Coordinates of all heavy atoms in Angstrom, one line a residue:
V36 N 257.0 -82.1 -19.4 CA 257.9 -81.1 -18.8 C 257.7 -79.7 -19.3 O 258.3 -79.3 -20.2 CB 259.3 -81.5 -19.1 CG1 260.2 -80.8 -18.1 CG2 259.7 -82.9 -19.0
M119 N 272.6 -80.3 -21.2 CA 271.7 -81.0 -20.2 C 272.6 -81.9 -19.2 O 272.1 -81.8 -18.0 CB 270.8 -81.9 -21.0 CG 269.9 -82.8 -20.2 SD 268.6 -81.7 -19.5 CE 267.8 -81.1 -20.9
A122 N 273.1 -80.4 -15.7 CA 271.9 -80.0 -14.9 C 271.4 -81.0 -13.9 O 270.5 -80.7 -13.2 CB 270.9 -79.5 -15.8
Y123 N 272.0 -82.2 -13.8 CA 271.5 -83.2 -13.0 C 271.9 -82.9 -11.4 O 273.1 -82.4 -11.4 CB 271.9 -84.6 -13.4 CG 271.0 -85.0 -14.5 CD1 271.6 -84.9 -15.8 CD2 269.8 -85.7 -14.3 CE1 270.7 -85.2 -16.9 CE2 269.0 -86.1 -15.4 CZ 269.4 -85.9 -16.6 OH 268.6 -86.1 -17.7
P124 N 271.3 -83.2 -10.5 CA 269.8 -84.0 -10.5 C 268.7 -83.1 -10.9 O 267.6 -83.6 -10.9 CB 269.7 -84.5 -9.1 CG 270.5 -83.5 -8.3 CD 271.6 -83.0 -9.1
G125 N 268.9 -81.8 -11.3 CA 267.8 -81.0 -11.7 C 267.0 -80.2 -10.6 O 267.3 -80.4 -9.4
D126 N 266.1 -79.5 -11.1 CA 265.3 -78.7 -10.1 C 264.0 -78.5 -10.8 O 263.8 -77.8 -11.9 CB 266.0 -77.4 -9.9 CG 265.2 -76.4 -8.9 OD1 263.9 -76.6 -8.6 OD2 265.7 -75.3 -8.5
E127 N 262.9 -79.0 -10.2 CA 261.6 -79.0 -10.9 C 261.0 -77.5 -11.0 O 260.0 -77.2 -11.8 CB 260.6 -79.9 -10.3 CG 260.3 -79.8 -8.7 CD 259.4 -80.6 -8.1 OE1 259.3 -81.8 -8.8 OE2 258.8 -80.4 -7.1
N128 N 261.6 -76.5 -10.3 CA 261.2 -75.2 -10.4 C 262.3 -74.3 -11.0 O 262.2 -73.1 -10.9 CB 260.8 -74.6 -9.0 CG 259.7 -75.3 -8.4 OD1 258.6 -75.6 -8.9 ND2 259.9 -75.9 -7.2
S131 N 264.8 -74.4 -17.8 CA 264.3 -75.4 -18.7 C 265.2 -76.7 -18.6 O 264.5 -77.8 -18.4 CB 264.5 -74.8 -20.2 OG 264.1 -75.9 -21.0
S132 N 266.4 -76.5 -18.7 CA 267.3 -77.8 -18.5 C 267.1 -78.4 -17.2 O 267.1 -79.7 -17.1 CB 268.8 -77.5 -18.8 OG 268.8 -77.1 -20.2
E133 N 267.0 -77.6 -16.2 CA 267.0 -78.3 -14.7 C 265.6 -79.0 -14.6 O 265.6 -80.0 -14.0 CB 267.2 -77.1 -13.8 CG 268.6 -76.6 -13.6 CD 268.7 -75.3 -12.7 OE1 267.6 -74.7 -12.5 OE2 269.7 -75.0 -12.3
R134 N 264.6 -78.5 -15.2 CA 263.2 -79.1 -15.0 C 263.3 -80.4 -15.8 O 262.6 -81.4 -15.3 CB 262.2 -78.2 -15.6 CG 261.8 -77.0 -14.7 CD 260.9 -76.0 -15.4 NE 260.9 -74.7 -14.7 CZ 259.8 -74.3 -14.1 NH1 258.6 -75.0 -14.1 NH2 259.8 -73.1 -13.4
I135 N 263.9 -80.4 -17.0 CA 263.9 -81.7 -17.8 C 264.9 -82.7 -17.0 O 264.5 -83.9 -16.9 CB 264.4 -81.5 -19.2 CG1 263.5 -80.8 -20.0 CG2 264.9 -82.8 -19.9 CD1 263.9 -80.2 -21.4
A136 N 266.0 -82.2 -16.5 CA 266.8 -83.1 -15.6 C 266.0 -83.6 -14.5 O 266.1 -84.8 -14.1 CB 268.1 -82.2 -15.2
A137 N 265.3 -82.8 -13.8 CA 264.5 -83.3 -12.6 C 263.5 -84.3 -12.9 O 263.3 -85.4 -12.3 CB 263.8 -82.1 -11.9
A138 N 262.8 -84.1 -14.2 CA 261.8 -85.0 -14.6 C 262.4 -86.4 -14.9 O 261.9 -87.5 -14.6 CB 261.0 -84.5 -15.7
T139 N 263.5 -86.4 -15.6 CA 264.2 -87.6 -16.1 C 264.9 -88.2 -14.9 O 264.9 -89.5 -14.8 CB 265.2 -87.4 -17.2 OG1 266.1 -86.3 -17.0 CG2 264.4 -87.1 -18.6
F140 N 265.5 -87.4 -14.0 CA 266.1 -88.0 -12.8 C 265.0 -88.7 -11.9 O 265.4 -89.8 -11.3 CB 266.7 -86.9 -12.0 CG 267.8 -87.5 -11.0 CD1 269.0 -88.1 -11.4 CD2 267.5 -87.4 -9.6 CE1 269.8 -88.7 -10.5 CE2 268.5 -87.9 -8.8 CZ 269.6 -88.5 -9.2
G141 N 263.9 -88.2 -11.9 CA 262.7 -88.9 -11.1 C 262.5 -90.2 -11.7 O 262.2 -91.3 -10.9
A142 N 262.6 -90.4 -13.0 CA 262.5 -91.8 -13.6 C 263.7 -92.7 -13.3 O 263.7 -93.8 -12.9 CB 262.2 -91.8 -15.1
A143 N 264.9 -92.0 -13.4 CA 266.2 -92.7 -13.3 C 266.4 -93.1 -11.8 O 266.9 -94.3 -11.7 CB 267.4 -91.7 -13.6
R144 N 266.0 -92.5 -10.9 CA 266.2 -92.9 -9.5 C 265.3 -94.1 -9.1 O 265.5 -94.7 -7.9 CB 266.1 -91.7 -8.5 CG 264.7 -91.2 -8.4 CD 264.7 -89.9 -7.5 NE 265.5 -90.1 -6.3 CZ 265.8 -89.0 -5.5 NH1 265.5 -87.7 -5.8 NH2 266.4 -89.2 -4.4

Side-chain angles (χ1 to χ4, degrees):
V36 194
M119 184 64 64
Y123 282 94
D126 177 352
E127 60 186 17
N128 299 308
S131 171
S132 293
E133 286 169 346
R134 286 170 193 249
I135 293 172
T139 51
F140 195 67
R144 68 188 311 169

